[in-house]
Amino acid sequence: DETMRATAVGSVSLAEKPIDYVVAAAIVKDEKVLGSIIKHGEDINKLEFPGGKINSGNSPTEELKKIIKENLNIDIEVTSKVDNSSYEYKDKRINLDVYKCKLVKGEIKSLDKEILKWIEINKLKKNDWSKVDAPIIESLVDLVPRAITEEVDFNYGKGSEEKSEKE
């Protein structure tokens, strides 16, 4: 049937789409997280966590340490898994695991010309993240402790005690 063939040729079915298994680092430092600006594809100019495809038999965390060393010239310690996400793009499906990490040694240098930026934890949700990274933000914000920035009234209730003493 001509219509069936045209549809099959014109689109890629889920079974035919390659699946990329990707690991990424949510590198946390001074209540900020490192983001990388995407240079191509559907999510161009959006943010993602630094990382890459798993291409070896290493564990995901070992592969992540290797990728970050190769791309950013730093050593990291993986402290915990933040979350996972997947998204089906036009040409492939990405399964992403993001790990909370801390910088152990080195000064960040983008060895593959990535554009990097530090984003304050409380501003993560206000940034434009890639389709596969965006669902991770909520989990990361919940996971990272932050300093209390609002004024706290430690004299709570004291005013009512003063009133009763005057009466």
Side-chain angles (χ1 to χ4, degrees):
D1 183 294
E2 276 305 303
T3 55
M4 279 288 278
R5 213 175 69 195
T7 324
V9 171
S11 66
V12 179
S13 76
L14 180 59
E16 294 170 12
K17 281 187 185 180
I19 299 173
D20 288 346
Y21 294 94
V22 176
V23 287
I27 302 170
V28 179
K29 182 182 173 189
D30 301 326
E31 295 185 28
K32 293 180 181 172
V33 176
L34 189 65
S36 174
I37 297 173
I38 300 169
K39 296 184 281 191
H40 51 77
E42 281 180 59
D43 285 330
I44 191 166
N45 296 325
K46 292 187 179 191
L47 283 165
E48 67 181 351
F49 297 106
K53 282 192 256 183
I54 297 177
N55 291 320
S56 72
N58 290 338
S59 72
T61 55
E62 288 305 310
E63 188 72 7
L64 181 58
K65 290 177 187 179
K66 182 178 149 217
I67 290 167
I68 296 299
K69 182 70 174 175
E70 288 171 358
N71 294 344
L72 302 179
N73 199 40
I74 57 170
D75 294 323
I76 57 168
E77 178 186 327
V78 176
T79 58
S80 60
K81 184 171 179 178
V82 177
D83 209 343
N84 63 315
S85 170
S86 64
Y87 188 82
E88 195 172 311
Y89 290 90
K90 289 177 189 162
D91 59 339
K92 64 185 167 192
R93 177 180 190 83
I94 292 182
N95 289 348
L96 172 69
D97 286 330
V98 176
Y99 294 86
K100 182 179 168 211
C101 303
K102 64 181 181 182
L103 196 150
V104 175
K105 192 173 87 180
E107 194 172 313
I108 295 173
K109 290 183 195 139
S110 180
L111 301 178
D112 65 351
K113 308 273 189 280
E114 285 186 73
I115 301 167
L116 304 167
K117 73 183 229 180
W118 287 102
I119 305 147
E120 291 176 34
I121 301 279
N122 59 0
K123 294 184 179 168
L124 285 175
K125 294 179 190 176
K126 295 177 182 162
N127 282 271
D128 196 13
W129 291 87
S130 77
K131 294 174 191 83
V132 73
D133 289 75
I136 305 286
I137 300 302
E138 192 73 42
S139 300
L140 180 61
V141 169
D142 292 344
L143 191 65
V144 177
R146 293 173 302 289
I148 298 171
T149 55
E150 302 133 22
E151 277 191 38
V152 179
D153 181 5
F154 291 105
N155 296 319
Y156 180 76
K158 193 173 180 184
S160 59
E161 288 171 15
E162 287 175 5
K163 244 187 231 176
S164 58
E165 287 175 15
K166 287 179 184 175
E167 290 174 358

PDB file of all heavy atoms in Angstrom, residues 120-156:
ATOM      1  N   GLU A 120      22.799  30.173  40.250  1.00  0.00           N
ATOM      2  CA  GLU A 120      22.399  30.057  41.654  1.00  0.00           C
ATOM      3  C   GLU A 120      21.262  29.040  41.767  1.00  0.00           C
ATOM      4  O   GLU A 120      20.367  29.007  40.919  1.00  0.00           O
ATOM      5  CB  GLU A 120      21.925  31.411  42.187  1.00  0.00           C
ATOM      6  CG  GLU A 120      23.043  32.420  42.307  1.00  0.00           C
ATOM      7  CD  GLU A 120      22.537  33.786  42.756  1.00  0.00           C
ATOM      8  OE1 GLU A 120      21.581  33.850  43.546  1.00  0.00           O
ATOM      9  OE2 GLU A 120      23.114  34.780  42.285  1.00  0.00           O
ATOM     10  N   ILE A 121      21.329  28.221  42.822  1.00  0.00           N
ATOM     11  CA  ILE A 121      20.330  27.166  43.031  1.00  0.00           C
ATOM     12  C   ILE A 121      18.917  27.738  42.968  1.00  0.00           C
ATOM     13  O   ILE A 121      18.043  27.164  42.333  1.00  0.00           O
ATOM     14  CB  ILE A 121      20.543  26.468  44.401  1.00  0.00           C
ATOM     15  CG1 ILE A 121      21.933  25.853  44.478  1.00  0.00           C
ATOM     16  CG2 ILE A 121      19.449  25.459  44.685  1.00  0.00           C
ATOM     17  CD1 ILE A 121      22.140  24.541  43.833  1.00  0.00           C
ATOM     18  N   ASN A 122      18.701  28.874  43.632  1.00  0.00           N
ATOM     19  CA  ASN A 122      17.341  29.427  43.676  1.00  0.00           C
ATOM     20  C   ASN A 122      16.897  30.040  42.349  1.00  0.00           C
ATOM     21  O   ASN A 122      15.766  30.486  42.226  1.00  0.00           O
ATOM     22  CB  ASN A 122      17.184  30.432  44.827  1.00  0.00           C
ATOM     23  CG  ASN A 122      18.150  31.595  44.718  1.00  0.00           C
ATOM     24  OD1 ASN A 122      18.949  31.661  43.791  1.00  0.00           O
ATOM     25  ND2 ASN A 122      18.085  32.496  45.666  1.00  0.00           N
ATOM     26  N   LYS A 123      17.775  30.047  41.343  1.00  0.00           N
ATOM     27  CA  LYS A 123      17.406  30.573  40.018  1.00  0.00           C
ATOM     28  C   LYS A 123      17.402  29.484  38.942  1.00  0.00           C
ATOM     29  O   LYS A 123      17.187  29.780  37.768  1.00  0.00           O
ATOM     30  CB  LYS A 123      18.353  31.702  39.616  1.00  0.00           C
ATOM     31  CG  LYS A 123      18.205  32.922  40.511  1.00  0.00           C
ATOM     32  CD  LYS A 123      19.061  34.058  40.056  1.00  0.00           C
ATOM     33  CE  LYS A 123      18.826  35.247  41.001  1.00  0.00           C
ATOM     34  NZ  LYS A 123      19.821  36.290  40.804  1.00  0.00           N
ATOM     35  N   LEU A 124      17.626  28.229  39.343  1.00  0.00           N
ATOM     36  CA  LEU A 124      17.688  27.140  38.359  1.00  0.00           C
ATOM     37  C   LEU A 124      16.402  27.028  37.548  1.00  0.00           C
ATOM     38  O   LEU A 124      16.438  26.842  36.338  1.00  0.00           O
ATOM     39  CB  LEU A 124      17.955  25.799  39.057  1.00  0.00           C
ATOM     40  CG  LEU A 124      19.369  25.561  39.553  1.00  0.00           C
ATOM     41  CD1 LEU A 124      19.436  24.254  40.324  1.00  0.00           C
ATOM     42  CD2 LEU A 124      20.360  25.556  38.417  1.00  0.00           C
ATOM     43  N   LYS A 125      15.262  27.130  38.226  1.00  0.00           N
ATOM     44  CA  LYS A 125      13.970  26.953  37.551  1.00  0.00           C
ATOM     45  C   LYS A 125      13.676  28.086  36.575  1.00  0.00           C
ATOM     46  O   LYS A 125      12.867  27.930  35.680  1.00  0.00           O
ATOM     47  CB  LYS A 125      12.841  26.864  38.579  1.00  0.00           C
ATOM     48  CG  LYS A 125      12.912  25.634  39.454  1.00  0.00           C
ATOM     49  CD  LYS A 125      11.771  25.651  40.452  1.00  0.00           C
ATOM     50  CE  LYS A 125      11.934  24.569  41.489  1.00  0.00           C
ATOM     51  NZ  LYS A 125      10.887  24.643  42.513  1.00  0.00           N
ATOM     52  N   LYS A 126      14.325  29.232  36.751  1.00  0.00           N
ATOM     53  CA  LYS A 126      14.066  30.393  35.889  1.00  0.00           C
ATOM     54  C   LYS A 126      14.858  30.332  34.587  1.00  0.00           C
ATOM     55  O   LYS A 126      14.646  31.133  33.697  1.00  0.00           O
ATOM     56  CB  LYS A 126      14.405  31.685  36.640  1.00  0.00           C
ATOM     57  CG  LYS A 126      13.492  31.915  37.824  1.00  0.00           C
ATOM     58  CD  LYS A 126      13.895  33.147  38.592  1.00  0.00           C
ATOM     59  CE  LYS A 126      12.974  33.298  39.796  1.00  0.00           C
ATOM     60  NZ  LYS A 126      13.497  34.172  40.805  1.00  0.00           N
ATOM     61  N   ASN A 127      15.774  29.388  34.472  1.00  0.00           N
ATOM     62  CA  ASN A 127      16.591  29.251  33.267  1.00  0.00           C
ATOM     63  C   ASN A 127      15.926  28.300  32.279  1.00  0.00           C
ATOM     64  O   ASN A 127      15.064  27.512  32.638  1.00  0.00           O
ATOM     65  CB  ASN A 127      17.986  28.746  33.639  1.00  0.00           C
ATOM     66  CG  ASN A 127      18.841  29.858  34.202  1.00  0.00           C
ATOM     67  OD1 ASN A 127      19.510  30.555  33.463  1.00  0.00           O
ATOM     68  ND2 ASN A 127      18.804  30.040  35.512  1.00  0.00           N
ATOM     69  N   ASP A 128      16.344  28.384  31.025  1.00  0.00           N
ATOM     70  CA  ASP A 128      15.777  27.575  29.943  1.00  0.00           C
ATOM     71  C   ASP A 128      16.637  26.324  29.757  1.00  0.00           C
ATOM     72  O   ASP A 128      17.714  26.384  29.168  1.00  0.00           O
ATOM     73  CB  ASP A 128      15.739  28.420  28.664  1.00  0.00           C
ATOM     74  CG  ASP A 128      14.839  27.818  27.602  1.00  0.00           C
ATOM     75  OD1 ASP A 128      14.066  26.896  27.918  1.00  0.00           O
ATOM     76  OD2 ASP A 128      14.917  28.277  26.449  1.00  0.00           O
ATOM     77  N   TRP A 129      16.155  25.190  30.264  1.00  0.00           N
ATOM     78  CA  TRP A 129      16.883  23.924  30.220  1.00  0.00           C
ATOM     79  C   TRP A 129      16.425  23.078  29.044  1.00  0.00           C
ATOM     80  O   TRP A 129      15.298  23.208  28.577  1.00  0.00           O
ATOM     81  CB  TRP A 129      16.681  23.166  31.528  1.00  0.00           C
ATOM     82  CG  TRP A 129      17.358  23.837  32.678  1.00  0.00           C
ATOM     83  CD1 TRP A 129      16.847  24.825  33.468  1.00  0.00           C
ATOM     84  CD2 TRP A 129      18.685  23.610  33.146  1.00  0.00           C
ATOM     85  NE1 TRP A 129      17.764  25.220  34.395  1.00  0.00           N
ATOM     86  CE2 TRP A 129      18.904  24.488  34.230  1.00  0.00           C
ATOM     87  CE3 TRP A 129      19.711  22.748  32.764  1.00  0.00           C
ATOM     88  CZ2 TRP A 129      20.107  24.529  34.928  1.00  0.00           C
ATOM     89  CZ3 TRP A 129      20.905  22.783  33.463  1.00  0.00           C
ATOM     90  CH2 TRP A 129      21.097  23.658  34.525  1.00  0.00           C
ATOM     91  N   SER A 130      17.281  22.166  28.607  1.00  0.00           N
ATOM     92  CA  SER A 130      16.928  21.245  27.526  1.00  0.00           C
ATOM     93  C   SER A 130      15.737  20.392  27.955  1.00  0.00           C
ATOM     94  O   SER A 130      15.441  20.258  29.146  1.00  0.00           O
ATOM     95  CB  SER A 130      18.115  20.335  27.192  1.00  0.00           C
ATOM     96  OG  SER A 130      18.226  19.320  28.170  1.00  0.00           O
ATOM     97  N   LYS A 131      15.076  19.805  26.969  1.00  0.00           N
ATOM     98  CA  LYS A 131      13.875  19.009  27.245  1.00  0.00           C
ATOM     99  C   LYS A 131      14.173  17.815  28.158  1.00  0.00           C
ATOM    100  O   LYS A 131      13.343  17.428  28.962  1.00  0.00           O
ATOM    101  CB  LYS A 131      13.247  18.548  25.942  1.00  0.00           C
ATOM    102  CG  LYS A 131      12.705  19.694  25.108  1.00  0.00           C
ATOM    103  CD  LYS A 131      12.219  19.185  23.749  1.00  0.00           C
ATOM    104  CE  LYS A 131      11.927  20.297  22.792  1.00  0.00           C
ATOM    105  NZ  LYS A 131      13.135  20.788  22.092  1.00  0.00           N
ATOM    106  N   VAL A 132      15.350  17.227  28.025  1.00  0.00           N
ATOM    107  CA  VAL A 132      15.672  16.052  28.847  1.00  0.00           C
ATOM    108  C   VAL A 132      16.221  16.452  30.228  1.00  0.00           C
ATOM    109  O   VAL A 132      16.030  15.746  31.201  1.00  0.00           O
ATOM    110  CB  VAL A 132      16.613  15.062  28.102  1.00  0.00           C
ATOM    111  CG1 VAL A 132      18.029  15.600  28.018  1.00  0.00           C
ATOM    112  CG2 VAL A 132      16.571  13.683  28.728  1.00  0.00           C
ATOM    113  N   ASP A 133      16.853  17.616  30.323  1.00  0.00           N
ATOM    114  CA  ASP A 133      17.414  18.072  31.607  1.00  0.00           C
ATOM    115  C   ASP A 133      16.365  18.742  32.502  1.00  0.00           C
ATOM    116  O   ASP A 133      16.454  18.664  33.725  1.00  0.00           O
ATOM    117  CB  ASP A 133      18.566  19.055  31.370  1.00  0.00           C
ATOM    118  CG  ASP A 133      19.811  18.377  30.817  1.00  0.00           C
ATOM    119  OD1 ASP A 133      19.823  18.027  29.628  1.00  0.00           O
ATOM    120  OD2 ASP A 133      20.762  18.198  31.582  1.00  0.00           O
ATOM    121  N   ALA A 134      15.388  19.417  31.904  1.00  0.00           N
ATOM    122  CA  ALA A 134      14.409  20.203  32.664  1.00  0.00           C
ATOM    123  C   ALA A 134      13.715  19.425  33.795  1.00  0.00           C
ATOM    124  O   ALA A 134      13.582  19.956  34.900  1.00  0.00           O
ATOM    125  CB  ALA A 134      13.380  20.812  31.720  1.00  0.00           C
ATOM    126  N   PRO A 135      13.285  18.175  33.564  1.00  0.00           N
ATOM    127  CA  PRO A 135      12.600  17.463  34.647  1.00  0.00           C
ATOM    128  C   PRO A 135      13.480  17.185  35.877  1.00  0.00           C
ATOM    129  O   PRO A 135      12.978  16.900  36.960  1.00  0.00           O
ATOM    130  CB  PRO A 135      12.173  16.137  34.006  1.00  0.00           C
ATOM    131  CG  PRO A 135      12.205  16.382  32.537  1.00  0.00           C
ATOM    132  CD  PRO A 135      13.268  17.408  32.316  1.00  0.00           C
ATOM    133  N   ILE A 136      14.781  17.289  35.728  1.00  0.00           N
ATOM    134  CA  ILE A 136      15.724  17.002  36.812  1.00  0.00           C
ATOM    135  C   ILE A 136      15.816  18.174  37.798  1.00  0.00           C
ATOM    136  O   ILE A 136      16.146  17.998  38.965  1.00  0.00           O
ATOM    137  CB  ILE A 136      17.137  16.717  36.229  1.00  0.00           C
ATOM    138  CG1 ILE A 136      17.086  15.604  35.185  1.00  0.00           C
ATOM    139  CG2 ILE A 136      18.156  16.458  37.318  1.00  0.00           C
ATOM    140  CD1 ILE A 136      16.907  14.217  35.705  1.00  0.00           C
ATOM    141  N   ILE A 137      15.514  19.375  37.342  1.00  0.00           N
ATOM    142  CA  ILE A 137      15.734  20.582  38.144  1.00  0.00           C
ATOM    143  C   ILE A 137      15.029  20.524  39.500  1.00  0.00           C
ATOM    144  O   ILE A 137      15.625  20.823  40.524  1.00  0.00           O
ATOM    145  CB  ILE A 137      15.304  21.851  37.356  1.00  0.00           C
ATOM    146  CG1 ILE A 137      16.111  21.967  36.067  1.00  0.00           C
ATOM    147  CG2 ILE A 137      15.445  23.104  38.213  1.00  0.00           C
ATOM    148  CD1 ILE A 137      17.610  22.025  36.234  1.00  0.00           C
ATOM    149  N   GLU A 138      13.770  20.133  39.507  1.00  0.00           N
ATOM    150  CA  GLU A 138      12.997  20.071  40.759  1.00  0.00           C
ATOM    151  C   GLU A 138      13.680  19.157  41.781  1.00  0.00           C
ATOM    152  O   GLU A 138      13.827  19.518  42.942  1.00  0.00           O
ATOM    153  CB  GLU A 138      11.581  19.572  40.461  1.00  0.00           C
ATOM    154  CG  GLU A 138      10.615  19.744  41.604  1.00  0.00           C
ATOM    155  CD  GLU A 138      10.199  21.190  41.812  1.00  0.00           C
ATOM    156  OE1 GLU A 138       9.953  21.900  40.826  1.00  0.00           O
ATOM    157  OE2 GLU A 138      10.129  21.602  42.984  1.00  0.00           O
ATOM    158  N   SER A 139      14.129  17.985  41.335  1.00  0.00           N
ATOM    159  CA  SER A 139      14.807  17.042  42.231  1.00  0.00           C
ATOM    160  C   SER A 139      16.105  17.629  42.767  1.00  0.00           C
ATOM    161  O   SER A 139      16.443  17.450  43.935  1.00  0.00           O
ATOM    162  CB  SER A 139      15.115  15.733  41.512  1.00  0.00           C
ATOM    163  OG  SER A 139      13.930  15.135  41.063  1.00  0.00           O
ATOM    164  N   LEU A 140      16.830  18.329  41.908  1.00  0.00           N
ATOM    165  CA  LEU A 140      18.100  18.920  42.318  1.00  0.00           C
ATOM    166  C   LEU A 140      17.880  20.022  43.351  1.00  0.00           C
ATOM    167  O   LEU A 140      18.567  20.074  44.365  1.00  0.00           O
ATOM    168  CB  LEU A 140      18.856  19.471  41.115  1.00  0.00           C
ATOM    169  CG  LEU A 140      20.208  20.114  41.423  1.00  0.00           C
ATOM    170  CD1 LEU A 140      21.164  19.099  42.048  1.00  0.00           C
ATOM    171  CD2 LEU A 140      20.816  20.710  40.172  1.00  0.00           C
ATOM    172  N   VAL A 141      16.910  20.878  43.105  1.00  0.00           N
ATOM    173  CA  VAL A 141      16.611  21.976  44.034  1.00  0.00           C
ATOM    174  C   VAL A 141      16.249  21.407  45.410  1.00  0.00           C
ATOM    175  O   VAL A 141      16.680  21.918  46.442  1.00  0.00           O
ATOM    176  CB  VAL A 141      15.482  22.878  43.473  1.00  0.00           C
ATOM    177  CG1 VAL A 141      14.973  23.845  44.530  1.00  0.00           C
ATOM    178  CG2 VAL A 141      15.984  23.640  42.265  1.00  0.00           C
ATOM    179  N   ASP A 142      15.477  20.312  45.431  1.00  0.00           N
ATOM    180  CA  ASP A 142      15.095  19.682  46.705  1.00  0.00           C
ATOM    181  C   ASP A 142      16.285  19.047  47.406  1.00  0.00           C
ATOM    182  O   ASP A 142      16.310  18.936  48.626  1.00  0.00           O
ATOM    183  CB  ASP A 142      14.024  18.609  46.469  1.00  0.00           C
ATOM    184  CG  ASP A 142      12.696  19.201  46.037  1.00  0.00           C
ATOM    185  OD1 ASP A 142      12.498  20.428  46.209  1.00  0.00           O
ATOM    186  OD2 ASP A 142      11.849  18.443  45.521  1.00  0.00           O
ATOM    187  N   LEU A 143      17.269  18.610  46.643  1.00  0.00           N
ATOM    188  CA  LEU A 143      18.406  17.861  47.184  1.00  0.00           C
ATOM    189  C   LEU A 143      19.516  18.747  47.747  1.00  0.00           C
ATOM    190  O   LEU A 143      20.231  18.342  48.661  1.00  0.00           O
ATOM    191  CB  LEU A 143      18.984  16.975  46.065  1.00  0.00           C
ATOM    192  CG  LEU A 143      20.003  15.924  46.434  1.00  0.00           C
ATOM    193  CD1 LEU A 143      19.374  14.866  47.322  1.00  0.00           C
ATOM    194  CD2 LEU A 143      20.559  15.275  45.181  1.00  0.00           C
ATOM    195  N   VAL A 144      19.661  19.948  47.216  1.00  0.00           N
ATOM    196  CA  VAL A 144      20.786  20.800  47.595  1.00  0.00           C
ATOM    197  C   VAL A 144      20.398  21.718  48.747  1.00  0.00           C
ATOM    198  O   VAL A 144      19.469  22.509  48.623  1.00  0.00           O
ATOM    199  CB  VAL A 144      21.259  21.648  46.393  1.00  0.00           C
ATOM    200  CG1 VAL A 144      22.387  22.581  46.795  1.00  0.00           C
ATOM    201  CG2 VAL A 144      21.717  20.740  45.265  1.00  0.00           C
ATOM    202  N   PRO A 145      21.113  21.604  49.883  1.00  0.00           N
ATOM    203  CA  PRO A 145      20.801  22.511  50.996  1.00  0.00           C
ATOM    204  C   PRO A 145      21.201  23.940  50.653  1.00  0.00           C
ATOM    205  O   PRO A 145      22.195  24.170  49.979  1.00  0.00           O
ATOM    206  CB  PRO A 145      21.651  21.967  52.149  1.00  0.00           C
ATOM    207  CG  PRO A 145      22.688  21.131  51.514  1.00  0.00           C
ATOM    208  CD  PRO A 145      22.199  20.710  50.152  1.00  0.00           C
ATOM    209  N   ARG A 146      20.382  24.870  51.095  1.00  0.00           N
ATOM    210  CA  ARG A 146      20.658  26.281  50.844  1.00  0.00           C
ATOM    211  C   ARG A 146      20.600  27.044  52.162  1.00  0.00           C
ATOM    212  O   ARG A 146      19.901  26.675  53.083  1.00  0.00           O
ATOM    213  CB  ARG A 146      19.630  26.863  49.878  1.00  0.00           C
ATOM    214  CG  ARG A 146      19.746  26.276  48.492  1.00  0.00           C
ATOM    215  CD  ARG A 146      18.643  26.694  47.565  1.00  0.00           C
ATOM    216  NE  ARG A 146      17.282  26.407  47.961  1.00  0.00           N
ATOM    217  CZ  ARG A 146      16.734  25.194  47.997  1.00  0.00           C
ATOM    218  NH1 ARG A 146      17.441  24.144  47.693  1.00  0.00           N
ATOM    219  NH2 ARG A 146      15.484  25.039  48.324  1.00  0.00           N
ATOM    220  N   ALA A 147      21.313  28.146  52.207  1.00  0.00           N
ATOM    221  CA  ALA A 147      21.276  29.002  53.387  1.00  0.00           C
ATOM    222  C   ALA A 147      19.916  29.703  53.420  1.00  0.00           C
ATOM    223  O   ALA A 147      19.327  29.981  52.388  1.00  0.00           O
ATOM    224  CB  ALA A 147      22.390  30.041  53.309  1.00  0.00           C
ATOM    225  N   ILE A 148      19.438  29.975  54.620  1.00  0.00           N
ATOM    226  CA  ILE A 148      18.179  30.707  54.746  1.00  0.00           C
ATOM    227  C   ILE A 148      18.467  32.154  54.388  1.00  0.00           C
ATOM    228  O   ILE A 148      19.328  32.785  54.988  1.00  0.00           O
ATOM    229  CB  ILE A 148      17.620  30.602  56.182  1.00  0.00           C
ATOM    230  CG1 ILE A 148      17.313  29.136  56.502  1.00  0.00           C
ATOM    231  CG2 ILE A 148      16.384  31.475  56.347  1.00  0.00           C
ATOM    232  CD1 ILE A 148      16.953  28.888  57.945  1.00  0.00           C
ATOM    233  N   THR A 149      17.730  32.658  53.415  1.00  0.00           N
ATOM    234  CA  THR A 149      18.004  34.023  52.959  1.00  0.00           C
ATOM    235  C   THR A 149      16.946  35.006  53.443  1.00  0.00           C
ATOM    236  O   THR A 149      17.117  36.199  53.326  1.00  0.00           O
ATOM    237  CB  THR A 149      18.084  34.083  51.421  1.00  0.00           C
ATOM    238  OG1 THR A 149      16.876  33.530  50.888  1.00  0.00           O
ATOM    239  CG2 THR A 149      19.279  33.318  50.908  1.00  0.00           C
ATOM    240  N   GLU A 150      15.830  34.496  53.978  1.00  0.00           N
ATOM    241  CA  GLU A 150      14.814  35.417  54.473  1.00  0.00           C
ATOM    242  C   GLU A 150      15.158  35.801  55.902  1.00  0.00           C
ATOM    243  O   GLU A 150      15.834  35.081  56.610  1.00  0.00           O
ATOM    244  CB  GLU A 150      13.436  34.737  54.488  1.00  0.00           C
ATOM    245  CG  GLU A 150      12.999  34.223  53.144  1.00  0.00           C
ATOM    246  CD  GLU A 150      12.464  32.803  53.242  1.00  0.00           C
ATOM    247  OE1 GLU A 150      12.048  32.370  54.328  1.00  0.00           O
ATOM    248  OE2 GLU A 150      12.489  32.128  52.212  1.00  0.00           O
ATOM    249  N   GLU A 151      14.628  36.956  56.342  1.00  0.00           N
ATOM    250  CA  GLU A 151      14.822  37.343  57.735  1.00  0.00           C
ATOM    251  C   GLU A 151      13.921  36.473  58.587  1.00  0.00           C
ATOM    252  O   GLU A 151      12.763  36.243  58.251  1.00  0.00           O
ATOM    253  CB  GLU A 151      14.447  38.816  57.939  1.00  0.00           C
ATOM    254  CG  GLU A 151      15.573  39.745  57.566  1.00  0.00           C
ATOM    255  CD  GLU A 151      15.307  41.166  58.016  1.00  0.00           C
ATOM    256  OE1 GLU A 151      14.756  41.364  59.116  1.00  0.00           O
ATOM    257  OE2 GLU A 151      15.646  42.055  57.235  1.00  0.00           O
ATOM    258  N   VAL A 152      14.445  35.998  59.666  1.00  0.00           N
ATOM    259  CA  VAL A 152      13.673  35.165  60.570  1.00  0.00           C
ATOM    260  C   VAL A 152      13.492  35.917  61.871  1.00  0.00           C
ATOM    261  O   VAL A 152      14.446  36.469  62.424  1.00  0.00           O
ATOM    262  CB  VAL A 152      14.401  33.815  60.834  1.00  0.00           C
ATOM    263  CG1 VAL A 152      13.608  32.957  61.792  1.00  0.00           C
ATOM    264  CG2 VAL A 152      14.643  33.089  59.524  1.00  0.00           C
ATOM    265  N   ASP A 153      12.254  35.968  62.390  1.00  0.00           N
ATOM    266  CA  ASP A 153      11.959  36.656  63.633  1.00  0.00           C
ATOM    267  C   ASP A 153      12.154  35.663  64.777  1.00  0.00           C
ATOM    268  O   ASP A 153      11.322  34.786  64.997  1.00  0.00           O
ATOM    269  CB  ASP A 153      10.524  37.193  63.610  1.00  0.00           C
ATOM    270  CG  ASP A 153      10.169  37.951  64.876  1.00  0.00           C
ATOM    271  OD1 ASP A 153      11.061  38.133  65.729  1.00  0.00           O
ATOM    272  OD2 ASP A 153       9.003  38.357  65.010  1.00  0.00           O
ATOM    273  N   PHE A 154      13.294  35.792  65.468  1.00  0.00           N
ATOM    274  CA  PHE A 154      13.571  34.881  66.577  1.00  0.00           C
ATOM    275  C   PHE A 154      12.853  35.295  67.857  1.00  0.00           C
ATOM    276  O   PHE A 154      12.917  34.623  68.863  1.00  0.00           O
ATOM    277  CB  PHE A 154      15.089  34.780  66.821  1.00  0.00           C
ATOM    278  CG  PHE A 154      15.793  34.062  65.704  1.00  0.00           C
ATOM    279  CD1 PHE A 154      16.556  34.746  64.780  1.00  0.00           C
ATOM    280  CD2 PHE A 154      15.673  32.684  65.565  1.00  0.00           C
ATOM    281  CE1 PHE A 154      17.195  34.079  63.747  1.00  0.00           C
ATOM    282  CE2 PHE A 154      16.308  32.011  64.531  1.00  0.00           C
ATOM    283  CZ  PHE A 154      17.070  32.712  63.623  1.00  0.00           C
ATOM    284  N   ASN A 155      12.187  36.427  67.838  1.00  0.00           N
ATOM    285  CA  ASN A 155      11.428  36.890  69.001  1.00  0.00           C
ATOM    286  C   ASN A 155       9.956  36.543  68.847  1.00  0.00           C
ATOM    287  O   ASN A 155       9.094  37.224  69.375  1.00  0.00           O
ATOM    288  CB  ASN A 155      11.593  38.417  69.164  1.00  0.00           C
ATOM    289  CG  ASN A 155      13.034  38.765  69.451  1.00  0.00           C
ATOM    290  OD1 ASN A 155      13.700  38.076  70.219  1.00  0.00           O
ATOM    291  ND2 ASN A 155      13.525  39.803  68.809  1.00  0.00           N
ATOM    292  N   TYR A 156       9.688  35.493  68.126  1.00  0.00           N
ATOM    293  CA  TYR A 156       8.314  35.084  67.859  1.00  0.00           C
ATOM    294  C   TYR A 156       7.562  34.884  69.166  1.00  0.00           C
ATOM    295  O   TYR A 156       8.015  34.178  70.059  1.00  0.00           O
ATOM    296  CB  TYR A 156       8.295  33.790  67.045  1.00  0.00           C
ATOM    297  CG  TYR A 156       6.912  33.296  66.734  1.00  0.00           C
ATOM    298  CD1 TYR A 156       6.154  33.917  65.752  1.00  0.00           C
ATOM    299  CD2 TYR A 156       6.358  32.236  67.427  1.00  0.00           C
ATOM    300  CE1 TYR A 156       4.878  33.478  65.455  1.00  0.00           C
ATOM    301  CE2 TYR A 156       5.085  31.788  67.145  1.00  0.00           C
ATOM    302  CZ  TYR A 156       4.346  32.428  66.155  1.00  0.00           C
ATOM    303  OH  TYR A 156       3.079  31.996  65.867  1.00  0.00           O
TER     304      TYR A 156
END
